[in-house]
Amino acid sequence: DAKTTQPNSMESNEEEPVHLPCNHSTISGTDYIHWYRQLPSQGPEYVIHGLTSNVNNRMASLAIAEDRKSSTLILHRATLRDAAVYYCILRPTGFQKLVFGTGTRLLVSP
Amino acid sequence: NAGVTQTPKFQVLKTGQSMTLQCAQDMNHNSMYWYRQDPGMGLRLIYYSASEGTTDKGEVPNGYNVSRLNKREFSLRLESAAPSQTSVYFCASRIQEGGPFETQYFGPGTRLLVL
């Protein structure tokens, strides 16, 4: 499985943008980039995914580098509810499982 | 829709005892999964069921068995619990296999403590 590298933790202030980086230098052409997050004492929840182009949804934006060796999850205005562990995951086409790393713990201050 | 539900929420077992963790989904999903999460770690896949009537091993299947009872329900059984199985267990479901973009939906978790 291709691996991802994320910082252990990041801090942000409420209502500021947050850029969460993910390195995946061994990504293959068929790997989709998925982001999930896990709020305290809850199961993970889907945030966003992409293959080559940048993606936007109601929760976040995903910026993918041209060489696809890195990506950035962008929360446009952090709220206290966004404090969670964010997981960057590579998923090959048709592959069953999500392989979770240790993720980035995002702390949001008022 | 309740989504993915798990019972019990919390359980304490003694070493050697057995128990079954229950999971149900009401989204008509074909695929279901069991993960475990140890403190400070990411989730690891125990078993999964791509469709009703099939089950396959994940990364850490030893010490567990599963049953896909019907399309809605997927149970995880610990036959003889060990302290190393102390963890939080998450069930998840997904519409179907075959594509890389179908979202997995997770339940709230079962916290298991084995003494």
Side-chain angles (χ1 to χ4, degrees):
Chain A
D1 295 339
K3 292 188 176 178
T4 62
T5 304
Q6 300 177 254
N8 287 335
S9 64
M10 293 185 65
E11 296 185 24
S12 176
N13 294 318
E14 204 174 7
E15 298 191 4
E16 289 185 354
V18 180
H19 291 231
L20 297 166
C22 181
N23 287 320
H24 30 78
S25 58
T26 59
I27 191 170
S28 73
T30 57
D31 289 344
Y32 278 73
I33 302 160
H34 288 248
W35 284 82
Y36 280 72
R37 72 178 184 181
Q38 187 173 19
L39 302 172
S41 299
Q42 294 189 28
E45 63 175 352
Y46 168 82
V47 178
I48 201 167
H49 77 272
L51 182 62
T52 56
S53 303
N54 294 344
V55 183
N56 300 299
N57 66 20
R58 63 176 181 82
M59 289 181 72
S61 296
L62 177 60
I64 301 172
E66 197 168 333
D67 64 4
R68 301 213 321 128
K69 293 187 176 182
S70 65
S71 60
T72 302
L73 179 70
I74 302 165
L75 306 179
H76 296 286
R77 289 183 66 203
T79 68
L80 296 178
R81 194 190 175 278
D82 292 323
V85 178
Y86 287 78
Y87 296 99
C88 170
I89 301 165
L90 300 183
R91 186 166 199 173
T93 302
F95 205 56
Q96 293 279 357
K97 60 183 181 178
L98 292 174
V99 179
F100 286 81
T102 53
T104 296
R105 182 173 298 279
L106 176 65
L107 305 171
V108 181
S109 301
Chain B
N1 285 351
V4 180
T5 57
Q6 295 183 234
T7 56
K9 286 187 171 59
F10 182 70
Q11 183 72 46
V12 179
L13 292 178
K14 294 180 180 177
T15 297
Q17 286 185 317
S18 62
M19 78 162 294
T20 300
L21 283 65
Q22 306 286 354
C23 173
Q25 53 87 12
D26 61 1
M27 297 175 282
N28 201 35
H29 286 174
N30 287 304
S31 302
M32 297 185 73
Y33 307 79
W34 275 106
Y35 293 86
R36 62 176 285 176
Q37 185 174 35
D38 299 328
M41 305 286 288
L43 282 71
R44 291 183 293 169
L45 183 65
I46 306 172
Y47 270 94
Y48 64 95
S49 170
S51 60
E52 188 179 353
T54 69
T55 61
D56 284 288
K57 295 179 180 179
E59 292 177 77
V60 288
N62 291 345
Y64 305 95
N65 285 303
V66 290
S67 295
R68 183 72 182 269
L69 304 170
N70 47 54
K71 192 172 185 179
R72 289 187 66 248
E73 298 172 290
F74 189 37
S75 63
L76 179 72
R77 183 159 179 85
L78 287 70
E79 290 291 351
S80 178
S84 61
Q85 294 178 304
T86 293
S87 190
V88 182
Y89 292 84
F90 290 100
C91 178
S93 70
R94 187 183 184 211
I95 293 174
Q96 65 183 26
E97 282 310 308
F101 41 77
E102 289 90 357
T103 306
Q104 282 197 12
Y105 295 85
F106 287 81
T110 294
R111 283 154 181 77
L112 176 65
L113 175 61
V114 183
L115 301 174

PDB file of all heavy atoms in Angstrom, chain B residues 45-66:
ATOM      1  N   LEU B  45      -8.311  -2.805   9.942  1.00  0.00           N
ATOM      2  CA  LEU B  45      -9.416  -3.640   9.479  1.00  0.00           C
ATOM      3  C   LEU B  45      -9.291  -5.051  10.025  1.00  0.00           C
ATOM      4  O   LEU B  45      -8.245  -5.694   9.889  1.00  0.00           O
ATOM      5  CB  LEU B  45      -9.429  -3.665   7.950  1.00  0.00           C
ATOM      6  CG  LEU B  45     -10.576  -4.434   7.297  1.00  0.00           C
ATOM      7  CD1 LEU B  45     -11.918  -3.764   7.593  1.00  0.00           C
ATOM      8  CD2 LEU B  45     -10.354  -4.525   5.792  1.00  0.00           C
ATOM      9  N   ILE B  46     -10.377  -5.560  10.615  1.00  0.00           N
ATOM     10  CA  ILE B  46     -10.386  -6.920  11.170  1.00  0.00           C
ATOM     11  C   ILE B  46     -10.940  -7.892  10.140  1.00  0.00           C
ATOM     12  O   ILE B  46     -10.287  -8.852   9.747  1.00  0.00           O
ATOM     13  CB  ILE B  46     -11.221  -6.981  12.457  1.00  0.00           C
ATOM     14  CG1 ILE B  46     -10.746  -5.940  13.474  1.00  0.00           C
ATOM     15  CG2 ILE B  46     -11.160  -8.378  13.070  1.00  0.00           C
ATOM     16  CD1 ILE B  46     -11.658  -5.822  14.685  1.00  0.00           C
ATOM     17  N   TYR B  47     -12.170  -7.657   9.739  1.00  0.00           N
ATOM     18  CA  TYR B  47     -12.861  -8.460   8.737  1.00  0.00           C
ATOM     19  C   TYR B  47     -13.758  -7.531   7.931  1.00  0.00           C
ATOM     20  O   TYR B  47     -14.147  -6.468   8.390  1.00  0.00           O
ATOM     21  CB  TYR B  47     -13.752  -9.522   9.396  1.00  0.00           C
ATOM     22  CG  TYR B  47     -13.103 -10.849   9.676  1.00  0.00           C
ATOM     23  CD1 TYR B  47     -12.537 -11.109  10.929  1.00  0.00           C
ATOM     24  CD2 TYR B  47     -13.076 -11.858   8.714  1.00  0.00           C
ATOM     25  CE1 TYR B  47     -11.956 -12.345  11.199  1.00  0.00           C
ATOM     26  CE2 TYR B  47     -12.503 -13.094   8.980  1.00  0.00           C
ATOM     27  CZ  TYR B  47     -11.933 -13.321  10.235  1.00  0.00           C
ATOM     28  OH  TYR B  47     -11.363 -14.541  10.499  1.00  0.00           O
ATOM     29  N   TYR B  48     -14.122  -7.993   6.730  1.00  0.00           N
ATOM     30  CA  TYR B  48     -15.110  -7.274   5.966  1.00  0.00           C
ATOM     31  C   TYR B  48     -15.991  -8.259   5.196  1.00  0.00           C
ATOM     32  O   TYR B  48     -15.649  -9.433   5.040  1.00  0.00           O
ATOM     33  CB  TYR B  48     -14.454  -6.256   5.016  1.00  0.00           C
ATOM     34  CG  TYR B  48     -13.590  -6.853   3.937  1.00  0.00           C
ATOM     35  CD1 TYR B  48     -14.097  -7.103   2.658  1.00  0.00           C
ATOM     36  CD2 TYR B  48     -12.250  -7.137   4.185  1.00  0.00           C
ATOM     37  CE1 TYR B  48     -13.294  -7.634   1.668  1.00  0.00           C
ATOM     38  CE2 TYR B  48     -11.440  -7.669   3.194  1.00  0.00           C
ATOM     39  CZ  TYR B  48     -11.961  -7.914   1.938  1.00  0.00           C
ATOM     40  OH  TYR B  48     -11.169  -8.445   0.961  1.00  0.00           O
ATOM     41  N   SER B  49     -17.121  -7.735   4.748  1.00  0.00           N
ATOM     42  CA  SER B  49     -18.064  -8.525   3.965  1.00  0.00           C
ATOM     43  C   SER B  49     -18.456  -7.685   2.755  1.00  0.00           C
ATOM     44  O   SER B  49     -19.149  -6.686   2.889  1.00  0.00           O
ATOM     45  CB  SER B  49     -19.297  -8.857   4.812  1.00  0.00           C
ATOM     46  OG  SER B  49     -20.309  -9.426   4.016  1.00  0.00           O
ATOM     47  N   ALA B  50     -17.971  -8.099   1.592  1.00  0.00           N
ATOM     48  CA  ALA B  50     -18.242  -7.313   0.388  1.00  0.00           C
ATOM     49  C   ALA B  50     -19.718  -7.368   0.016  1.00  0.00           C
ATOM     50  O   ALA B  50     -20.266  -6.410  -0.547  1.00  0.00           O
ATOM     51  CB  ALA B  50     -17.379  -7.800  -0.767  1.00  0.00           C
ATOM     52  N   SER B  51     -20.357  -8.484   0.313  1.00  0.00           N
ATOM     53  CA  SER B  51     -21.781  -8.620   0.020  1.00  0.00           C
ATOM     54  C   SER B  51     -22.347  -9.695   0.931  1.00  0.00           C
ATOM     55  O   SER B  51     -21.602 -10.460   1.565  1.00  0.00           O
ATOM     56  CB  SER B  51     -22.008  -8.992  -1.447  1.00  0.00           C
ATOM     57  OG  SER B  51     -21.372 -10.217  -1.732  1.00  0.00           O
ATOM     58  N   GLU B  52     -23.670  -9.772   0.992  1.00  0.00           N
ATOM     59  CA  GLU B  52     -24.316 -10.774   1.832  1.00  0.00           C
ATOM     60  C   GLU B  52     -23.839 -12.163   1.442  1.00  0.00           C
ATOM     61  O   GLU B  52     -23.793 -12.499   0.266  1.00  0.00           O
ATOM     62  CB  GLU B  52     -25.828 -10.658   1.636  1.00  0.00           C
ATOM     63  CG  GLU B  52     -26.636 -11.490   2.587  1.00  0.00           C
ATOM     64  CD  GLU B  52     -28.132 -11.309   2.362  1.00  0.00           C
ATOM     65  OE1 GLU B  52     -28.522 -10.434   1.556  1.00  0.00           O
ATOM     66  OE2 GLU B  52     -28.918 -12.051   2.985  1.00  0.00           O
ATOM     67  N   GLY B  53     -23.440 -12.931   2.441  1.00  0.00           N
ATOM     68  CA  GLY B  53     -23.000 -14.297   2.194  1.00  0.00           C
ATOM     69  C   GLY B  53     -21.507 -14.445   2.018  1.00  0.00           C
ATOM     70  O   GLY B  53     -21.006 -15.571   1.893  1.00  0.00           O
ATOM     71  N   THR B  54     -20.757 -13.330   2.014  1.00  0.00           N
ATOM     72  CA  THR B  54     -19.299 -13.418   1.871  1.00  0.00           C
ATOM     73  C   THR B  54     -18.621 -12.664   2.999  1.00  0.00           C
ATOM     74  O   THR B  54     -19.106 -11.621   3.448  1.00  0.00           O
ATOM     75  CB  THR B  54     -18.819 -12.825   0.541  1.00  0.00           C
ATOM     76  OG1 THR B  54     -19.014 -11.404   0.561  1.00  0.00           O
ATOM     77  CG2 THR B  54     -19.562 -13.402  -0.643  1.00  0.00           C
ATOM     78  N   THR B  55     -17.497 -13.209   3.459  1.00  0.00           N
ATOM     79  CA  THR B  55     -16.664 -12.514   4.436  1.00  0.00           C
ATOM     80  C   THR B  55     -15.202 -12.758   4.091  1.00  0.00           C
ATOM     81  O   THR B  55     -14.858 -13.803   3.522  1.00  0.00           O
ATOM     82  CB  THR B  55     -16.919 -12.980   5.884  1.00  0.00           C
ATOM     83  OG1 THR B  55     -16.623 -14.375   5.991  1.00  0.00           O
ATOM     84  CG2 THR B  55     -18.358 -12.724   6.302  1.00  0.00           C
ATOM     85  N   ASP B  56     -14.350 -11.791   4.423  1.00  0.00           N
ATOM     86  CA  ASP B  56     -12.919 -11.921   4.154  1.00  0.00           C
ATOM     87  C   ASP B  56     -12.113 -11.307   5.285  1.00  0.00           C
ATOM     88  O   ASP B  56     -12.582 -10.381   5.950  1.00  0.00           O
ATOM     89  CB  ASP B  56     -12.547 -11.220   2.841  1.00  0.00           C
ATOM     90  CG  ASP B  56     -12.970 -12.013   1.636  1.00  0.00           C
ATOM     91  OD1 ASP B  56     -12.343 -13.056   1.368  1.00  0.00           O
ATOM     92  OD2 ASP B  56     -13.949 -11.610   0.988  1.00  0.00           O
ATOM     93  N   LYS B  57     -10.902 -11.810   5.469  1.00  0.00           N
ATOM     94  CA  LYS B  57     -10.032 -11.311   6.519  1.00  0.00           C
ATOM     95  C   LYS B  57      -9.425  -9.974   6.121  1.00  0.00           C
ATOM     96  O   LYS B  57      -9.130  -9.725   4.957  1.00  0.00           O
ATOM     97  CB  LYS B  57      -8.903 -12.314   6.791  1.00  0.00           C
ATOM     98  CG  LYS B  57      -9.383 -13.642   7.340  1.00  0.00           C
ATOM     99  CD  LYS B  57      -8.206 -14.596   7.556  1.00  0.00           C
ATOM    100  CE  LYS B  57      -8.711 -15.913   8.113  1.00  0.00           C
ATOM    101  NZ  LYS B  57      -7.593 -16.884   8.308  1.00  0.00           N
ATOM    102  N   GLY B  58      -9.224  -9.141   7.151  1.00  0.00           N
ATOM    103  CA  GLY B  58      -8.510  -7.898   6.962  1.00  0.00           C
ATOM    104  C   GLY B  58      -7.085  -8.016   7.478  1.00  0.00           C
ATOM    105  O   GLY B  58      -6.472  -9.072   7.386  1.00  0.00           O
ATOM    106  N   GLU B  59      -6.589  -6.913   8.073  1.00  0.00           N
ATOM    107  CA  GLU B  59      -5.204  -6.889   8.575  1.00  0.00           C
ATOM    108  C   GLU B  59      -5.004  -7.698   9.833  1.00  0.00           C
ATOM    109  O   GLU B  59      -3.952  -8.314  10.031  1.00  0.00           O
ATOM    110  CB  GLU B  59      -4.815  -5.449   8.919  1.00  0.00           C
ATOM    111  CG  GLU B  59      -4.685  -4.485   7.790  1.00  0.00           C
ATOM    112  CD  GLU B  59      -4.375  -3.112   8.352  1.00  0.00           C
ATOM    113  OE1 GLU B  59      -3.216  -2.857   8.740  1.00  0.00           O
ATOM    114  OE2 GLU B  59      -5.308  -2.274   8.440  1.00  0.00           O
ATOM    115  N   VAL B  60      -5.978  -7.670  10.744  1.00  0.00           N
ATOM    116  CA  VAL B  60      -5.791  -8.252  12.082  1.00  0.00           C
ATOM    117  C   VAL B  60      -6.942  -9.178  12.458  1.00  0.00           C
ATOM    118  O   VAL B  60      -7.677  -8.936  13.419  1.00  0.00           O
ATOM    119  CB  VAL B  60      -5.619  -7.124  13.134  1.00  0.00           C
ATOM    120  CG1 VAL B  60      -4.275  -6.455  12.983  1.00  0.00           C
ATOM    121  CG2 VAL B  60      -6.749  -6.100  13.031  1.00  0.00           C
ATOM    122  N   PRO B  61      -7.130 -10.312  11.763  1.00  0.00           N
ATOM    123  CA  PRO B  61      -8.299 -11.163  12.014  1.00  0.00           C
ATOM    124  C   PRO B  61      -8.157 -12.149  13.166  1.00  0.00           C
ATOM    125  O   PRO B  61      -9.162 -12.710  13.623  1.00  0.00           O
ATOM    126  CB  PRO B  61      -8.413 -11.935  10.694  1.00  0.00           C
ATOM    127  CG  PRO B  61      -6.994 -12.056  10.227  1.00  0.00           C
ATOM    128  CD  PRO B  61      -6.340 -10.768  10.632  1.00  0.00           C
ATOM    129  N   ASN B  62      -6.927 -12.371  13.646  1.00  0.00           N
ATOM    130  CA  ASN B  62      -6.718 -13.427  14.633  1.00  0.00           C
ATOM    131  C   ASN B  62      -7.468 -13.148  15.923  1.00  0.00           C
ATOM    132  O   ASN B  62      -7.388 -12.057  16.492  1.00  0.00           O
ATOM    133  CB  ASN B  62      -5.225 -13.588  14.930  1.00  0.00           C
ATOM    134  CG  ASN B  62      -4.474 -14.171  13.748  1.00  0.00           C
ATOM    135  OD1 ASN B  62      -5.076 -14.703  12.821  1.00  0.00           O
ATOM    136  ND2 ASN B  62      -3.165 -14.048  13.758  1.00  0.00           N
ATOM    137  N   GLY B  63      -8.190 -14.155  16.405  1.00  0.00           N
ATOM    138  CA  GLY B  63      -8.946 -14.026  17.644  1.00  0.00           C
ATOM    139  C   GLY B  63     -10.382 -13.578  17.438  1.00  0.00           C
ATOM    140  O   GLY B  63     -11.120 -13.402  18.412  1.00  0.00           O
ATOM    141  N   TYR B  64     -10.790 -13.392  16.197  1.00  0.00           N
ATOM    142  CA  TYR B  64     -12.135 -12.910  15.882  1.00  0.00           C
ATOM    143  C   TYR B  64     -12.808 -13.819  14.856  1.00  0.00           C
ATOM    144  O   TYR B  64     -12.142 -14.438  14.035  1.00  0.00           O
ATOM    145  CB  TYR B  64     -12.083 -11.501  15.299  1.00  0.00           C
ATOM    146  CG  TYR B  64     -11.376 -10.481  16.146  1.00  0.00           C
ATOM    147  CD1 TYR B  64     -10.032 -10.187  15.920  1.00  0.00           C
ATOM    148  CD2 TYR B  64     -12.049  -9.807  17.159  1.00  0.00           C
ATOM    149  CE1 TYR B  64      -9.368  -9.241  16.691  1.00  0.00           C
ATOM    150  CE2 TYR B  64     -11.394  -8.857  17.931  1.00  0.00           C
ATOM    151  CZ  TYR B  64     -10.061  -8.578  17.699  1.00  0.00           C
ATOM    152  OH  TYR B  64      -9.414  -7.656  18.468  1.00  0.00           O
ATOM    153  N   ASN B  65     -14.122 -13.837  14.913  1.00  0.00           N
ATOM    154  CA  ASN B  65     -14.927 -14.434  13.855  1.00  0.00           C
ATOM    155  C   ASN B  65     -16.064 -13.478  13.527  1.00  0.00           C
ATOM    156  O   ASN B  65     -16.447 -12.656  14.365  1.00  0.00           O
ATOM    157  CB  ASN B  65     -15.518 -15.776  14.309  1.00  0.00           C
ATOM    158  CG  ASN B  65     -14.467 -16.859  14.335  1.00  0.00           C
ATOM    159  OD1 ASN B  65     -13.821 -17.143  13.341  1.00  0.00           O
ATOM    160  ND2 ASN B  65     -14.294 -17.472  15.508  1.00  0.00           N
ATOM    161  N   VAL B  66     -16.579 -13.588  12.312  1.00  0.00           N
ATOM    162  CA  VAL B  66     -17.664 -12.708  11.903  1.00  0.00           C
ATOM    163  C   VAL B  66     -18.790 -13.522  11.273  1.00  0.00           C
ATOM    164  O   VAL B  66     -18.593 -14.645  10.807  1.00  0.00           O
ATOM    165  CB  VAL B  66     -17.204 -11.636  10.890  1.00  0.00           C
ATOM    166  CG1 VAL B  66     -16.289 -10.618  11.569  1.00  0.00           C
ATOM    167  CG2 VAL B  66     -16.530 -12.275   9.687  1.00  0.00           C
TER     168      VAL B  66
END
